[in-house]
Amino acid sequence: MKKKLQLLLTFLLAFALLVACSGPDEAEQEVNHNEETNEAISEFPVTVTDALDYEVTIETKPERIVSLIPSNTETLFALGLDDEIVGVSEFDNYPEEALEKEKVGGMEFNVEQIISLEPDVVFAHVSNEHNSAEGLNQLREAGIDVVVVNDATSFEATYEAIDLIAQATGTKDKGNEIIENMKAKIAEMTEKATAVEDEAKVWVEVDANLYTTGKNTFIDEMLTIIRAENIAGDQEGWIQFTEEDVVNLNPDVIVTTYGDYVENLKEDILIREAWQDVTAVKNERVYNVNSDLVSRPGPRLTEGIEELAKVIYPDLFTE
């Protein structure tokens, strides 16, 4: 009996020591989790001013979110809101998890379907306002908070869009982290580009009808960062060139953004009869980059800079 009692006391002592060693850490983790949750909740209600200058007051941290454009969706996922996203547009293709979300339409979204999802907030875009202003008003009348995000065409405007979405979802710290990481990557690329001695002249082709990208576009800003010359950089926005225009400007590098949708695009460009004396064609310097990386406002834009840099200056930027 005495021996059994000693064994029992030994077991109880060992158990007490185990609890003493592990308990505080587990308790601390629980406290930290609760503090983070309470901190997010304490930010609400929050009032944000959206791209249409509407003041939108969101009473509680959103638990059900619908996104009406791919750029908003990418940002929401980057902010860690996978579980909260209940609906996305039919154009959403990144990340892969977005493909599993319920689709609520394209430029003309399904108002009834969105209402049935019972979202706390819908993140729209100024393009939705142009195409479906009535639909957005119906959502507002149904008591759903609608936040319209700006049409970003620069990195600064993209930071504003990310910050707006982060404020409205109680993820401002994560939003700041994303923005600072983007700025750090741009600073790194800018520093590397100081080694460029002869700026390459670049023709960016966004479709077979010779549309390209001029000032106030992401691609033009990206080319500036890596010290490459956009041969359409003296014009505004998205413009169409003639074949003669491109040939006369004689680019060193040709970058396409639609090669994922057209087979043998590089080969087709290399055999263009009028282009045979173009430097980029003679040297077979024709490359394709993912259009989403260089045109979709969001955290992946810095990947777009890297893609452009690697094809234009492979010796400098390819690790």
Side-chain angles (χ1 to χ4, degrees):
M1 184 71 178
K2 184 176 180 181
K3 187 174 182 180
K4 289 183 179 179
L5 183 59
Q6 286 177 335
L7 288 172
L8 178 61
L9 289 174
T10 301
F11 172 77
L12 290 174
L13 178 60
F15 180 76
L17 287 172
L18 179 63
V19 171
C21 291
S22 61
D25 288 340
E26 294 174 0
E28 185 178 350
Q29 290 175 6
E30 183 68 24
V31 168
N32 290 339
H33 173 74
N34 290 337
E35 285 179 351
E36 290 173 2
T37 302
N38 292 334
E39 182 180 353
I41 293 173
S42 67
E43 295 175 357
F44 292 86
V46 63
T47 299
V48 297
T49 302
D50 72 5
L52 300 180
D53 287 331
Y54 285 128
E55 285 195 352
V56 184
T57 298
I58 301 170
E59 296 295 339
T60 59
K61 181 173 171 55
E63 296 181 353
R64 298 180 65 81
I65 297 170
V66 168
S67 170
L68 300 183
I69 196 166
S71 55
N72 290 350
T73 301
E74 286 201 24
T75 297
L76 288 162
F77 271 101
L79 290 168
L81 297 167
D82 184 345
D83 292 340
E84 287 81 358
I85 300 169
V86 295
V88 299
S89 86
E90 63 187 31
F91 305 118
D92 290 34
N93 58 0
Y94 187 88
E96 288 187 5
E97 290 80 2
L99 301 174
E100 301 170 3
K101 301 295 182 179
E102 185 167 340
K103 302 299 184 289
V104 297
M107 295 303 292
E108 295 184 1
F109 49 83
N110 188 320
V111 174
E112 291 75 15
Q113 184 183 9
I114 292 174
I115 292 174
S116 73
L117 291 173
E118 300 182 345
D120 301 309
V121 61
V122 171
F123 286 100
H125 185 259
V126 290
S127 60
N128 299 125
E129 174 66 18
H130 297 324
N131 295 294
S132 304
E134 183 179 348
L136 293 181
N137 284 331
Q138 288 177 326
L139 295 176
R140 295 183 183 103
E141 290 167 1
I144 299 170
D145 291 325
V146 176
V147 177
V148 179
V149 179
N150 59 305
D151 183 20
T153 57
S154 68
F155 279 90
E156 283 299 327
T158 300
Y159 302 150
E160 292 173 8
I162 294 171
D163 183 61
L164 173 64
I165 295 172
Q167 287 187 61
T169 55
T171 56
K172 189 166 177 59
D173 286 347
K174 182 61 177 178
N176 289 337
E177 178 186 327
I178 292 170
I179 292 168
E180 291 307 312
N181 286 342
M182 292 177 71
K183 289 181 177 179
K185 175 56 71 173
I186 291 173
E188 177 188 331
M189 300 295 287
T190 301
E191 176 62 27
K192 277 189 176 182
T194 58
V196 173
E197 296 179 355
D198 297 316
E199 292 191 7
K201 294 194 299 182
V202 182
W203 162 250
V204 179
E205 187 169 301
V206 299
D207 76 11
N209 294 313
L210 302 187
Y211 273 93
T212 190
T213 171
K215 290 184 295 187
N216 295 319
T217 62
F218 287 119
I219 294 176
D220 185 69
E221 188 172 1
M222 291 174 180
L223 292 174
T224 299
I225 289 169
I226 62 173
R227 297 187 65 182
E229 179 187 348
N230 177 10
I231 65 172
D234 60 342
Q235 301 194 46
E236 185 80 20
W238 303 87
I239 57 270
Q240 186 178 25
F241 272 44
T242 66
E243 195 169 47
E244 184 180 8
D245 290 333
V246 182
V247 171
N248 288 339
L249 289 167
N250 192 27
D252 302 306
V253 179
I254 295 172
V255 174
T256 63
T257 63
Y258 62 108
D260 293 338
Y261 314 103
V262 177
E263 289 186 9
N264 305 316
L265 178 57
K266 177 177 179 177
E267 289 75 12
D268 289 345
I269 292 174
L270 291 176
I271 63 173
R272 289 175 180 172
E273 186 175 352
W275 295 46
Q276 293 308 299
D277 290 329
V278 172
T279 301
V281 172
K282 288 194 294 185
N283 294 329
E284 298 190 3
R285 297 206 61 195
V286 180
Y287 310 98
N288 186 71
V289 296
N290 185 306
S291 61
D292 293 343
L293 294 181
V294 294
S295 62
R296 182 178 291 176
R300 291 198 296 159
L301 281 175
T302 50
E303 295 179 36
I305 302 178
E306 289 186 293
E307 290 301 304
L308 283 172
K310 287 176 181 178
V311 298
I312 296 171
Y313 299 121
D315 293 340
L316 184 59
F317 286 95
T318 301
E319 298 179 355

